[in-house]
Amino acid sequence: MNVKVVGKESLADGVVRLVLRHSYGGDFPEWRPGAHVDLALSEDLVRQYSLCGDPANRDVLEVAVLREPQSRGGSAHVHDELQEGDRIRVRGPRNHFALTEARNYLFIAGGIGITPILPMIRAVAGDGVPWRLLYGGRSRSSMAFLDELERYGERVRICPQDETGLLDLDSALGSPAEDTAVYCCGPEALLEAVEKRCASWPAGSLHVERFTPRAIDESASSESFEIELASTGEVLTVPPDKTIVDVLEEAGVDVEVSCLEGTCGTCETAVLGGTPEHRDSILTEEERAAGDTMFLCVSRSSSPRLRIDR
């Protein structure tokens, strides 16, 4: 989709919000809390950002972008070069962090991780479902959306690290709850700490979204395997030094990709036979065990051959 930047404003130190509208008018596709889009900032610069606006307002999309100190070009481009009136391309929305039904919700956000959480809060608050939020950041000035969150009162606990220290996860997660869904987004250290404390919670309680890929187990196998394309029956060999995407593209099979790190979900493909070796940062343990989908940019095979929906 071709879009026009119709708004750009600072939300906090190092954070800007972009408001995007169709270049030629019309509504955007429907989306639900937790969704993200790909922003094609230039021909070879594509980045994923969570939607933080109102799903009911389909004439615009809103994203908030943190200037990353170690930016690979995306956040620096947004902050320094992208201006109101500029036109870019958008792919999506896609959602691998969907809001499930629950009797209670505990939201945990670190820094820019508040962006996918914010539409979730609006949704559950509108439905009258009990919820609370722990929101941490380096300092109050670096934390976006504080003004909006203040109206929720005691349901929200704002924890700037320079004022209160790290989030008190032991108190929040120390007692497993049968009827509570935990949603967490933020830096890897926060996600790992939450995952550790939720290990004793009921299966399926925890939902996380990563902005950076998990560390891959160095002991994981990287042997050759075969992929069979269900549409043609063609069988291709994936050697240890290439990904499935590499092999497919060499064979002339078009694969839509974006992050190439197993975090965005663009290359998700159904598995029709064989056992995938998941190396993505998206699927839950239950989804990995089911083995009926995989992400071609990073994952491999635990069986000699995979049959995929291509």
Side-chain angles (χ1 to χ4, degrees), residues 2 10 37 43-44 50 106 112 150 166 179 203 215 235 249 296:
N2 290 298
S10 174
V37 291
E43 185 174 342
D44 57 354
S50 298
L106 171 59
I112 198 63
E150 281 179 359
L166 297 176
D179 56 358
V235 176
E249 290 182 342
L296 303 181

Side-chain angles (χ1 to χ4, degrees), residues 11-301:
L11 295 179
D13 293 346
V15 180
V16 296
R17 171 165 47 194
L18 300 180
V19 182
L20 310 173
R21 193 183 303 274
H22 260 301
S23 294
Y24 309 108
D27 288 343
F28 288 103
E30 291 185 8
W31 62 276
R32 296 183 181 278
H36 70 270
V37 291
D38 298 343
L39 298 191
L41 302 168
S42 65
E43 185 174 342
D44 57 354
L45 187 61
V46 180
R47 295 292 184 266
Q48 295 75 43
Y49 299 107
S50 298
L51 293 171
C52 59
D54 182 357
N57 186 10
R58 292 177 54 200
D59 64 336
V60 296
L61 296 176
E62 297 181 24
V63 298
V65 181
L66 170 69
R67 177 191 284 277
E68 296 284 357
Q70 305 299 323
S71 173
R72 295 174 299 154
S75 68
H77 182 96
V78 169
H79 279 257
D80 298 337
E81 300 185 39
L82 198 62
Q83 303 296 330
E84 287 189 29
D86 287 351
R87 285 177 165 81
I88 57 176
R89 288 188 57 81
V90 168
R91 294 200 300 249
R94 286 187 298 276
N95 199 336
H96 294 285
F97 193 45
L99 186 65
T100 59
E101 289 189 10
R103 292 185 178 181
N104 297 279
Y105 294 91
L106 171 59
F107 299 108
I108 302 174
I112 198 63
I114 191 63
T115 51
I117 298 293
L118 195 64
M120 295 182 180
I121 289 174
R122 296 188 190 118
V124 299
D127 291 340
V129 181
W131 64 274
R132 55 196 175 102
L133 166 69
L134 294 180
Y135 179 19
R138 297 188 310 278
S139 63
R140 194 173 295 271
S141 64
S142 71
M143 299 170 70
F145 302 109
L146 292 184
D147 289 346
E148 176 174 348
L149 292 169
E150 281 179 359
R151 67 188 178 93
Y152 294 115
E154 294 182 355
R155 292 184 182 274
V156 175
R157 184 175 180 186
I158 303 299
C159 302
Q161 187 173 345
D162 61 353
E163 297 177 22
T164 64
L166 297 176
L167 294 176
D168 186 358
L169 298 179
D170 290 331
S171 294
L173 301 170
S175 299
E178 292 288 340
D179 56 358
T180 298
V182 180
Y183 279 81
C184 181
C185 185
E188 185 62 25
L190 173 63
L191 299 182
E192 290 180 355
V194 170
E195 287 175 331
K196 179 180 179 180
R197 288 164 174 81
C198 283
S200 60
W201 281 55
S205 296
L206 177 61
H207 310 262
V208 302
E209 182 169 62
R210 283 178 158 82
F211 293 141
T212 56
R214 295 176 188 261
I216 295 177
D217 183 357
E218 295 298 334
S219 65
S221 170
S222 292
E223 297 179 357
S224 296
F225 61 93
E226 295 178 335
I227 51 171
E228 178 184 344
L229 310 185
S231 61
T232 63
E234 183 178 7
V235 176
L236 304 170
T237 298
V238 182
D241 61 341
K242 292 184 179 180
T243 67
I244 297 176
V245 168
D246 293 335
V247 171
L248 290 175
E249 290 182 342
E250 289 173 1
V253 180
D254 185 43
V255 184
E256 187 176 7
V257 295
S258 182
C259 73
L260 296 175
E261 295 179 328
T263 59
C264 74
T266 305
C267 63
E268 183 174 10
T269 300
V271 177
L272 306 178
T275 305
E277 180 188 289
H278 299 292
R279 298 188 178 187
D280 64 274
S281 301
I282 299 172
L283 297 178
T284 65
E285 291 304 317
E286 292 80 9
E287 291 167 334
R288 289 170 179 250
D292 56 5
T293 191
M294 69 184 300
F295 299 92
L296 303 181
C297 66
V298 292
S299 295
R300 300 184 68 80
S301 179

